[in-house]
PDB file of all heavy atoms in Angstrom:
ATOM      1  N   VAL A 243     -10.871  -8.214   0.399  1.00  0.00           N
ATOM      2  CA  VAL A 243     -11.413  -7.489  -0.652  1.00  0.00           C
ATOM      3  C   VAL A 243     -10.447  -7.324  -1.696  1.00  0.00           C
ATOM      4  O   VAL A 243      -9.274  -7.038  -1.545  1.00  0.00           O
ATOM      5  CB  VAL A 243     -11.869  -6.054  -0.170  1.00  0.00           C
ATOM      6  CG1 VAL A 243     -12.307  -5.127  -1.344  1.00  0.00           C
ATOM      7  CG2 VAL A 243     -13.025  -6.085   0.815  1.00  0.00           C
ATOM      8  N   VAL A 244     -10.970  -7.623  -3.010  1.00  0.00           N
ATOM      9  CA  VAL A 244     -10.155  -7.534  -4.184  1.00  0.00           C
ATOM     10  C   VAL A 244     -10.549  -6.313  -4.953  1.00  0.00           C
ATOM     11  O   VAL A 244     -11.808  -6.009  -5.120  1.00  0.00           O
ATOM     12  CB  VAL A 244     -10.385  -8.790  -5.118  1.00  0.00           C
ATOM     13  CG1 VAL A 244      -9.477  -8.718  -6.270  1.00  0.00           C
ATOM     14  CG2 VAL A 244     -10.107 -10.125  -4.288  1.00  0.00           C
ATOM     15  N   MET A 245      -9.660  -5.651  -5.446  1.00  0.00           N
ATOM     16  CA  MET A 245     -10.001  -4.371  -6.193  1.00  0.00           C
ATOM     17  C   MET A 245     -10.210  -4.834  -7.616  1.00  0.00           C
ATOM     18  O   MET A 245      -9.379  -5.490  -8.334  1.00  0.00           O
ATOM     19  CB  MET A 245      -8.785  -3.413  -6.176  1.00  0.00           C
ATOM     20  CG  MET A 245      -8.393  -3.080  -4.796  1.00  0.00           C
ATOM     21  SD  MET A 245      -6.823  -2.085  -4.631  1.00  0.00           S
ATOM     22  CE  MET A 245      -7.538  -0.501  -4.918  1.00  0.00           C
ATOM     23  N   GLY A 246     -11.516  -4.564  -8.157  1.00  0.00           N
ATOM     24  CA  GLY A 246     -11.911  -5.035  -9.482  1.00  0.00           C
ATOM     25  C   GLY A 246     -11.542  -4.203 -10.709  1.00  0.00           C
ATOM     26  O   GLY A 246     -12.285  -4.324 -11.761  1.00  0.00           O
ATOM     27  N   CYS A 247     -10.483  -3.507 -10.603  1.00  0.00           N
ATOM     28  CA  CYS A 247     -10.014  -2.799 -11.781  1.00  0.00           C
ATOM     29  C   CYS A 247      -8.620  -2.409 -11.543  1.00  0.00           C
ATOM     30  O   CYS A 247      -8.110  -1.983 -10.452  1.00  0.00           O
ATOM     31  CB  CYS A 247     -10.823  -1.516 -11.989  1.00  0.00           C
ATOM     32  SG  CYS A 247     -10.300  -0.379 -13.296  1.00  0.00           S
ATOM     33  N   ALA A 248      -7.755  -2.501 -12.651  1.00  0.00           N
ATOM     34  CA  ALA A 248      -6.328  -2.202 -12.450  1.00  0.00           C
ATOM     35  C   ALA A 248      -6.001  -0.749 -12.220  1.00  0.00           C
ATOM     36  O   ALA A 248      -4.980  -0.469 -11.608  1.00  0.00           O
ATOM     37  CB  ALA A 248      -5.628  -2.661 -13.807  1.00  0.00           C
ATOM     38  N   GLY A 249      -6.984   0.173 -12.545  1.00  0.00           N
ATOM     39  CA  GLY A 249      -6.780   1.570 -12.291  1.00  0.00           C
ATOM     40  C   GLY A 249      -6.790   1.960 -10.865  1.00  0.00           C
ATOM     41  O   GLY A 249      -6.519   3.088 -10.468  1.00  0.00           O
ATOM     42  N   MET A 250      -7.275   1.099  -9.969  1.00  0.00           N
ATOM     43  CA  MET A 250      -7.585   1.509  -8.503  1.00  0.00           C
ATOM     44  C   MET A 250      -6.384   1.341  -7.678  1.00  0.00           C
ATOM     45  O   MET A 250      -6.442   1.538  -6.403  1.00  0.00           O
ATOM     46  CB  MET A 250      -8.627   0.412  -7.887  1.00  0.00           C
ATOM     47  CG  MET A 250     -10.017   0.525  -8.584  1.00  0.00           C
ATOM     48  SD  MET A 250     -11.082  -0.797  -7.820  1.00  0.00           S
ATOM     49  CE  MET A 250     -12.594  -0.437  -8.743  1.00  0.00           C
ATOM     50  N   ALA A 251      -5.193   1.035  -8.224  1.00  0.00           N
ATOM     51  CA  ALA A 251      -4.077   0.630  -7.436  1.00  0.00           C
ATOM     52  C   ALA A 251      -3.619   1.610  -6.328  1.00  0.00           C
ATOM     53  O   ALA A 251      -3.291   1.256  -5.251  1.00  0.00           O
ATOM     54  CB  ALA A 251      -2.839   0.269  -8.326  1.00  0.00           C
ATOM     55  N   SER A 252      -3.612   2.880  -6.712  1.00  0.00           N
ATOM     56  CA  SER A 252      -3.223   3.882  -5.779  1.00  0.00           C
ATOM     57  C   SER A 252      -3.948   4.065  -4.520  1.00  0.00           C
ATOM     58  O   SER A 252      -3.533   4.656  -3.565  1.00  0.00           O
ATOM     59  CB  SER A 252      -2.980   5.261  -6.496  1.00  0.00           C
ATOM     60  OG  SER A 252      -4.316   5.718  -6.939  1.00  0.00           O
ATOM     61  N   HIS A 253      -5.188   3.487  -4.552  1.00  0.00           N
ATOM     62  CA  HIS A 253      -6.071   3.606  -3.437  1.00  0.00           C
ATOM     63  C   HIS A 253      -5.998   2.371  -2.411  1.00  0.00           C
ATOM     64  O   HIS A 253      -6.669   2.435  -1.387  1.00  0.00           O
ATOM     65  CB  HIS A 253      -7.496   3.738  -3.918  1.00  0.00           C
ATOM     66  CG  HIS A 253      -7.738   4.761  -4.871  1.00  0.00           C
ATOM     67  ND1 HIS A 253      -7.609   6.132  -4.644  1.00  0.00           N
ATOM     68  CD2 HIS A 253      -7.969   4.740  -6.188  1.00  0.00           C
ATOM     69  CE1 HIS A 253      -7.882   6.912  -5.726  1.00  0.00           C
ATOM     70  NE2 HIS A 253      -8.075   6.012  -6.597  1.00  0.00           N
ATOM     71  N   ARG A 254      -5.202   1.481  -2.696  1.00  0.00           N
ATOM     72  CA  ARG A 254      -5.218   0.147  -2.002  1.00  0.00           C
ATOM     73  C   ARG A 254      -4.998   0.420  -0.512  1.00  0.00           C
ATOM     74  O   ARG A 254      -5.700  -0.047   0.369  1.00  0.00           O
ATOM     75  CB  ARG A 254      -4.183  -0.843  -2.594  1.00  0.00           C
ATOM     76  CG  ARG A 254      -4.448  -2.282  -2.022  1.00  0.00           C
ATOM     77  CD  ARG A 254      -3.193  -3.154  -2.162  1.00  0.00           C
ATOM     78  NE  ARG A 254      -2.060  -2.623  -1.265  1.00  0.00           N
ATOM     79  CZ  ARG A 254      -1.954  -2.669   0.068  1.00  0.00           C
ATOM     80  NH1 ARG A 254      -2.942  -3.444   0.614  1.00  0.00           N
ATOM     81  NH2 ARG A 254      -1.008  -2.219   0.641  1.00  0.00           N
ATOM     82  N   ALA A 255      -3.899   0.966  -0.219  1.00  0.00           N
ATOM     83  CA  ALA A 255      -3.445   1.150   1.292  1.00  0.00           C
ATOM     84  C   ALA A 255      -4.497   2.026   1.996  1.00  0.00           C
ATOM     85  O   ALA A 255      -4.889   1.600   3.043  1.00  0.00           O
ATOM     86  CB  ALA A 255      -2.089   1.817   1.360  1.00  0.00           C
ATOM     87  N   ALA A 256      -5.081   2.972   1.370  1.00  0.00           N
ATOM     88  CA  ALA A 256      -6.102   3.709   2.143  1.00  0.00           C
ATOM     89  C   ALA A 256      -7.445   2.969   2.309  1.00  0.00           C
ATOM     90  O   ALA A 256      -7.998   3.148   3.439  1.00  0.00           O
ATOM     91  CB  ALA A 256      -6.449   5.082   1.293  1.00  0.00           C
ATOM     92  N   ILE A 257      -7.820   2.197   1.339  1.00  0.00           N
ATOM     93  CA  ILE A 257      -8.989   1.409   1.503  1.00  0.00           C
ATOM     94  C   ILE A 257      -8.779   0.348   2.699  1.00  0.00           C
ATOM     95  O   ILE A 257      -9.572   0.086   3.532  1.00  0.00           O
ATOM     96  CB  ILE A 257      -9.459   0.664   0.274  1.00  0.00           C
ATOM     97  CG1 ILE A 257      -9.626   1.646  -0.885  1.00  0.00           C
ATOM     98  CG2 ILE A 257     -10.633  -0.337   0.467  1.00  0.00           C
ATOM     99  CD1 ILE A 257      -9.921   0.962  -2.207  1.00  0.00           C
ATOM    100  N   GLU A 258      -7.629  -0.332   2.593  1.00  0.00           N
ATOM    101  CA  GLU A 258      -7.314  -1.369   3.697  1.00  0.00           C
ATOM    102  C   GLU A 258      -7.308  -0.716   5.020  1.00  0.00           C
ATOM    103  O   GLU A 258      -7.817  -1.324   5.948  1.00  0.00           O
ATOM    104  CB  GLU A 258      -5.954  -1.968   3.307  1.00  0.00           C
ATOM    105  CG  GLU A 258      -5.535  -3.113   4.252  1.00  0.00           C
ATOM    106  CD  GLU A 258      -4.336  -3.841   3.684  1.00  0.00           C
ATOM    107  OE1 GLU A 258      -4.437  -4.767   2.862  1.00  0.00           O
ATOM    108  OE2 GLU A 258      -3.229  -3.492   4.160  1.00  0.00           O
ATOM    109  N   GLU A 259      -6.678   0.400   5.186  1.00  0.00           N
ATOM    110  CA  GLU A 259      -6.672   1.134   6.529  1.00  0.00           C
ATOM    111  C   GLU A 259      -8.041   1.442   6.899  1.00  0.00           C
ATOM    112  O   GLU A 259      -8.366   1.222   8.203  1.00  0.00           O
ATOM    113  CB  GLU A 259      -5.785   2.321   6.378  1.00  0.00           C
ATOM    114  CG  GLU A 259      -5.687   3.101   7.719  1.00  0.00           C
ATOM    115  CD  GLU A 259      -4.778   4.275   7.739  1.00  0.00           C
ATOM    116  OE1 GLU A 259      -4.258   4.608   6.638  1.00  0.00           O
ATOM    117  OE2 GLU A 259      -4.613   4.875   8.823  1.00  0.00           O
ATOM    118  N   ALA A 260      -8.934   1.841   6.009  1.00  0.00           N
ATOM    119  CA  ALA A 260     -10.258   2.310   6.441  1.00  0.00           C
ATOM    120  C   ALA A 260     -11.186   1.159   6.786  1.00  0.00           C
ATOM    121  O   ALA A 260     -12.073   1.251   7.690  1.00  0.00           O
ATOM    122  CB  ALA A 260     -10.860   3.082   5.288  1.00  0.00           C
ATOM    123  N   ILE A 261     -10.995  -0.064   6.083  1.00  0.00           N
ATOM    124  CA  ILE A 261     -12.037  -1.155   6.300  1.00  0.00           C
ATOM    125  C   ILE A 261     -11.547  -2.192   7.201  1.00  0.00           C
ATOM    126  O   ILE A 261     -12.283  -3.054   7.594  1.00  0.00           O
ATOM    127  CB  ILE A 261     -12.497  -1.649   4.876  1.00  0.00           C
ATOM    128  CG1 ILE A 261     -11.382  -2.451   4.211  1.00  0.00           C
ATOM    129  CG2 ILE A 261     -13.049  -0.569   4.012  1.00  0.00           C
ATOM    130  CD1 ILE A 261     -11.902  -3.070   2.937  1.00  0.00           C
ATOM    131  N   GLY A 262     -10.131  -2.243   7.433  1.00  0.00           N
ATOM    132  CA  GLY A 262      -9.662  -3.148   8.370  1.00  0.00           C
ATOM    133  C   GLY A 262      -9.577  -4.608   8.057  1.00  0.00           C
ATOM    134  O   GLY A 262      -9.397  -5.499   8.900  1.00  0.00           O
ATOM    135  N   VAL A 263      -9.518  -4.833   6.733  1.00  0.00           N
ATOM    136  CA  VAL A 263      -9.281  -6.208   6.249  1.00  0.00           C
ATOM    137  C   VAL A 263      -8.340  -6.136   5.116  1.00  0.00           C
ATOM    138  O   VAL A 263      -8.123  -5.030   4.457  1.00  0.00           O
ATOM    139  CB  VAL A 263     -10.593  -6.965   5.812  1.00  0.00           C
ATOM    140  CG1 VAL A 263     -11.654  -6.985   6.929  1.00  0.00           C
ATOM    141  CG2 VAL A 263     -11.148  -6.289   4.564  1.00  0.00           C
ATOM    142  N   PRO A 264      -7.651  -7.230   4.781  1.00  0.00           N
ATOM    143  CA  PRO A 264      -6.629  -7.168   3.636  1.00  0.00           C
ATOM    144  C   PRO A 264      -7.380  -6.798   2.310  1.00  0.00           C
ATOM    145  O   PRO A 264      -8.442  -7.232   2.031  1.00  0.00           O
ATOM    146  CB  PRO A 264      -6.067  -8.538   3.552  1.00  0.00           C
ATOM    147  CG  PRO A 264      -6.332  -9.117   4.877  1.00  0.00           C
ATOM    148  CD  PRO A 264      -7.652  -8.543   5.356  1.00  0.00           C
ATOM    149  N   VAL A 265      -6.761  -5.976   1.496  1.00  0.00           N
ATOM    150  CA  VAL A 265      -7.189  -5.504   0.201  1.00  0.00           C
ATOM    151  C   VAL A 265      -6.158  -5.954  -0.832  1.00  0.00           C
ATOM    152  O   VAL A 265      -4.978  -5.569  -0.624  1.00  0.00           O
ATOM    153  CB  VAL A 265      -7.427  -3.939   0.186  1.00  0.00           C
ATOM    154  CG1 VAL A 265      -7.726  -3.512  -1.251  1.00  0.00           C
ATOM    155  CG2 VAL A 265      -8.505  -3.591   1.136  1.00  0.00           C
ATOM    156  N   VAL A 266      -6.523  -6.670  -1.850  1.00  0.00           N
ATOM    157  CA  VAL A 266      -5.641  -7.173  -2.861  1.00  0.00           C
ATOM    158  C   VAL A 266      -5.686  -6.329  -4.131  1.00  0.00           C
ATOM    159  O   VAL A 266      -6.773  -6.020  -4.645  1.00  0.00           O
ATOM    160  CB  VAL A 266      -6.103  -8.629  -3.234  1.00  0.00           C
ATOM    161  CG1 VAL A 266      -5.261  -9.155  -4.392  1.00  0.00           C
ATOM    162  CG2 VAL A 266      -5.936  -9.498  -2.047  1.00  0.00           C
ATOM    163  N   GLU A 267      -4.531  -5.902  -4.534  1.00  0.00           N
ATOM    164  CA  GLU A 267      -4.389  -5.167  -5.873  1.00  0.00           C
ATOM    165  C   GLU A 267      -3.956  -6.210  -6.857  1.00  0.00           C
ATOM    166  O   GLU A 267      -2.921  -6.765  -6.842  1.00  0.00           O
ATOM    167  CB  GLU A 267      -3.325  -4.093  -5.750  1.00  0.00           C
ATOM    168  CG  GLU A 267      -3.501  -3.009  -6.806  1.00  0.00           C
ATOM    169  CD  GLU A 267      -3.224  -3.448  -8.194  1.00  0.00           C
ATOM    170  OE1 GLU A 267      -2.150  -4.044  -8.412  1.00  0.00           O
ATOM    171  OE2 GLU A 267      -4.115  -3.420  -8.987  1.00  0.00           O
ATOM    172  N   PRO A 268      -4.865  -6.541  -7.806  1.00  0.00           N
ATOM    173  CA  PRO A 268      -4.677  -7.810  -8.637  1.00  0.00           C
ATOM    174  C   PRO A 268      -3.565  -7.658  -9.661  1.00  0.00           C
ATOM    175  O   PRO A 268      -2.938  -8.683 -10.025  1.00  0.00           O
ATOM    176  CB  PRO A 268      -6.034  -7.945  -9.345  1.00  0.00           C
ATOM    177  CG  PRO A 268      -6.588  -6.585  -9.357  1.00  0.00           C
ATOM    178  CD  PRO A 268      -6.204  -5.919  -8.060  1.00  0.00           C
ATOM    179  N   ALA A 269      -3.256  -6.501 -10.206  1.00  0.00           N
ATOM    180  CA  ALA A 269      -2.198  -6.288 -11.195  1.00  0.00           C
ATOM    181  C   ALA A 269      -0.903  -6.684 -10.583  1.00  0.00           C
ATOM    182  O   ALA A 269       0.034  -7.341 -11.202  1.00  0.00           O
ATOM    183  CB  ALA A 269      -2.190  -4.950 -11.696  1.00  0.00           C
ATOM    184  N   GLN A 270      -0.672  -6.277  -9.327  1.00  0.00           N
ATOM    185  CA  GLN A 270       0.576  -6.535  -8.562  1.00  0.00           C
ATOM    186  C   GLN A 270       0.685  -8.072  -8.436  1.00  0.00           C
ATOM    187  O   GLN A 270       1.772  -8.665  -8.603  1.00  0.00           O
ATOM    188  CB  GLN A 270       0.557  -5.885  -7.221  1.00  0.00           C
ATOM    189  CG  GLN A 270       0.694  -4.323  -7.306  1.00  0.00           C
ATOM    190  CD  GLN A 270       0.590  -3.650  -5.896  1.00  0.00           C
ATOM    191  OE1 GLN A 270      -0.130  -4.278  -5.055  1.00  0.00           O
ATOM    192  NE2 GLN A 270       1.060  -2.493  -5.765  1.00  0.00           N
ATOM    193  N   GLN A 271      -0.444  -8.733  -8.052  1.00  0.00           N
ATOM    194  CA  GLN A 271      -0.362 -10.206  -7.871  1.00  0.00           C
ATOM    195  C   GLN A 271      -0.093 -10.901  -9.168  1.00  0.00           C
ATOM    196  O   GLN A 271       0.724 -11.910  -9.136  1.00  0.00           O
ATOM    197  CB  GLN A 271      -1.658 -10.623  -7.257  1.00  0.00           C
ATOM    198  CG  GLN A 271      -2.084 -10.006  -5.905  1.00  0.00           C
ATOM    199  CD  GLN A 271      -1.033 -10.195  -4.870  1.00  0.00           C
ATOM    200  OE1 GLN A 271      -0.413 -11.246  -4.869  1.00  0.00           O
ATOM    201  NE2 GLN A 271      -0.743  -9.148  -4.052  1.00  0.00           N
ATOM    202  N   ALA A 272      -0.668 -10.473 -10.318  1.00  0.00           N
ATOM    203  CA  ALA A 272      -0.415 -11.137 -11.612  1.00  0.00           C
ATOM    204  C   ALA A 272       1.025 -11.005 -11.980  1.00  0.00           C
ATOM    205  O   ALA A 272       1.602 -11.937 -12.533  1.00  0.00           O
ATOM    206  CB  ALA A 272      -1.394 -10.639 -12.625  1.00  0.00           C
ATOM    207  N   VAL A 273       1.537  -9.762 -11.885  1.00  0.00           N
ATOM    208  CA  VAL A 273       2.843  -9.496 -12.212  1.00  0.00           C
ATOM    209  C   VAL A 273       3.906 -10.343 -11.339  1.00  0.00           C
ATOM    210  O   VAL A 273       4.883 -10.866 -11.835  1.00  0.00           O
ATOM    211  CB  VAL A 273       3.228  -8.150 -12.207  1.00  0.00           C
ATOM    212  CG1 VAL A 273       4.655  -7.704 -12.411  1.00  0.00           C
ATOM    213  CG2 VAL A 273       2.470  -7.261 -13.332  1.00  0.00           C
ATOM    214  N   ALA A 274       3.644 -10.358 -10.091  1.00  0.00           N
ATOM    215  CA  ALA A 274       4.425 -11.174  -9.204  1.00  0.00           C
ATOM    216  C   ALA A 274       4.417 -12.669  -9.594  1.00  0.00           C
ATOM    217  O   ALA A 274       5.508 -13.323  -9.625  1.00  0.00           O
ATOM    218  CB  ALA A 274       3.937 -11.000  -7.759  1.00  0.00           C
ATOM    219  N   ALA A 275       3.299 -13.134  -9.934  1.00  0.00           N
ATOM    220  CA  ALA A 275       3.214 -14.455 -10.357  1.00  0.00           C
ATOM    221  C   ALA A 275       3.966 -14.659 -11.719  1.00  0.00           C
ATOM    222  O   ALA A 275       4.676 -15.746 -11.937  1.00  0.00           O
ATOM    223  CB  ALA A 275       1.735 -14.923 -10.608  1.00  0.00           C
ATOM    224  N   ALA A 276       3.959 -13.711 -12.596  1.00  0.00           N
ATOM    225  CA  ALA A 276       4.701 -13.795 -13.796  1.00  0.00           C
ATOM    226  C   ALA A 276       6.205 -13.790 -13.654  1.00  0.00           C
ATOM    227  O   ALA A 276       6.938 -14.519 -14.327  1.00  0.00           O
ATOM    228  CB  ALA A 276       4.173 -12.654 -14.812  1.00  0.00           C
ATOM    229  N   ILE A 277       6.565 -13.042 -12.635  1.00  0.00           N
ATOM    230  CA  ILE A 277       8.059 -12.945 -12.334  1.00  0.00           C
ATOM    231  C   ILE A 277       8.488 -14.404 -11.860  1.00  0.00           C
ATOM    232  O   ILE A 277       9.430 -14.910 -12.337  1.00  0.00           O
ATOM    233  CB  ILE A 277       8.288 -11.936 -11.152  1.00  0.00           C
ATOM    234  CG1 ILE A 277       8.130 -10.549 -11.738  1.00  0.00           C
ATOM    235  CG2 ILE A 277       9.753 -12.156 -10.661  1.00  0.00           C
ATOM    236  CD1 ILE A 277       8.210  -9.474 -10.687  1.00  0.00           C
ATOM    237  N   GLY A 278       7.703 -14.948 -11.012  1.00  0.00           N
ATOM    238  CA  GLY A 278       8.004 -16.344 -10.499  1.00  0.00           C
ATOM    239  C   GLY A 278       8.063 -17.241 -11.646  1.00  0.00           C
ATOM    240  O   GLY A 278       8.914 -18.176 -11.691  1.00  0.00           O
ATOM    241  N   ALA A 279       7.087 -17.266 -12.576  1.00  0.00           N
ATOM    242  CA  ALA A 279       7.077 -18.176 -13.680  1.00  0.00           C
ATOM    243  C   ALA A 279       8.192 -18.005 -14.577  1.00  0.00           C
ATOM    244  O   ALA A 279       8.829 -19.000 -15.059  1.00  0.00           O
ATOM    245  CB  ALA A 279       5.799 -17.877 -14.512  1.00  0.00           C
ATOM    246  N   VAL A 280       8.676 -16.742 -14.843  1.00  0.00           N
ATOM    247  CA  VAL A 280       9.787 -16.531 -15.669  1.00  0.00           C
ATOM    248  C   VAL A 280      11.023 -16.965 -15.058  1.00  0.00           C
ATOM    249  O   VAL A 280      11.918 -17.596 -15.678  1.00  0.00           O
ATOM    250  CB  VAL A 280       9.879 -14.982 -15.994  1.00  0.00           C
ATOM    251  CG1 VAL A 280      11.219 -14.675 -16.685  1.00  0.00           C
ATOM    252  CG2 VAL A 280       8.675 -14.619 -16.953  1.00  0.00           C
ATOM    253  N   LEU A 281      11.342 -16.654 -13.739  1.00  0.00           N
ATOM    254  CA  LEU A 281      12.552 -17.016 -13.107  1.00  0.00           C
ATOM    255  C   LEU A 281      12.660 -18.617 -12.901  1.00  0.00           C
ATOM    256  O   LEU A 281      13.776 -19.216 -13.042  1.00  0.00           O
ATOM    257  CB  LEU A 281      12.580 -16.324 -11.796  1.00  0.00           C
ATOM    258  CG  LEU A 281      12.793 -14.872 -11.818  1.00  0.00           C
ATOM    259  CD1 LEU A 281      12.828 -14.223 -10.365  1.00  0.00           C
ATOM    260  CD2 LEU A 281      13.933 -14.413 -12.619  1.00  0.00           C
ATOM    261  N   LEU A 282      11.572 -19.209 -12.699  1.00  0.00           N
ATOM    262  CA  LEU A 282      11.574 -20.661 -12.527  1.00  0.00           C
ATOM    263  C   LEU A 282      11.699 -21.428 -13.844  1.00  0.00           C
ATOM    264  O   LEU A 282      11.942 -22.638 -13.731  1.00  0.00           O
ATOM    265  CB  LEU A 282      10.283 -21.089 -11.771  1.00  0.00           C
ATOM    266  CG  LEU A 282      10.282 -20.657 -10.267  1.00  0.00           C
ATOM    267  CD1 LEU A 282       8.928 -20.985  -9.658  1.00  0.00           C
ATOM    268  CD2 LEU A 282      11.339 -21.267  -9.505  1.00  0.00           C
ATOM    269  N   ARG A 283      11.479 -20.714 -14.946  1.00  0.00           N
ATOM    270  CA  ARG A 283      11.671 -21.328 -16.208  1.00  0.00           C
ATOM    271  C   ARG A 283      13.128 -21.259 -16.655  1.00  0.00           C
ATOM    272  O   ARG A 283      13.457 -21.687 -17.770  1.00  0.00           O
ATOM    273  CB  ARG A 283      10.762 -20.743 -17.267  1.00  0.00           C
ATOM    274  CG  ARG A 283       9.284 -21.147 -17.212  1.00  0.00           C
ATOM    275  CD  ARG A 283       8.394 -20.223 -17.857  1.00  0.00           C
ATOM    276  NE  ARG A 283       8.760 -20.190 -19.411  1.00  0.00           N
ATOM    277  CZ  ARG A 283       8.143 -20.888 -20.244  1.00  0.00           C
ATOM    278  NH1 ARG A 283       7.247 -21.790 -19.966  1.00  0.00           N
ATOM    279  NH2 ARG A 283       8.448 -20.805 -21.485  1.00  0.00           N
ATOM    280  N   ALA A 284      13.958 -20.468 -15.920  1.00  0.00           N
ATOM    281  CA  ALA A 284      15.317 -20.188 -16.257  1.00  0.00           C
ATOM    282  C   ALA A 284      16.121 -21.499 -16.465  1.00  0.00           C
ATOM    283  O   ALA A 284      15.853 -22.499 -15.754  1.00  0.00           O
ATOM    284  CB  ALA A 284      16.025 -19.399 -15.214  1.00  0.00           C
TER     285      ALA A 284
END
């Protein structure tokens, strides 16, 4: 399950525990990708 709004982040762990499948917080994923892109451009 993907959380469809950046404001939902604080609920990710609780949702994942309740529904029993991975839950993706998209802002974290996009920032993580940006970190990789920046470091690899060094």
Side-chain angles (χ1 to χ4, degrees):
V243 169
V244 182
M245 307 175 83
C247 175
M250 298 177 182
S252 63
H253 308 290
R254 191 203 65 79
I257 298 170
E258 185 170 275
E259 181 178 1
I261 69 176
V263 303
V265 176
V266 174
E267 200 296 300
Q270 293 173 336
Q271 301 303 322
V273 171
I277 292 171
V280 168
L281 294 180
L282 291 172
R283 285 164 59 96

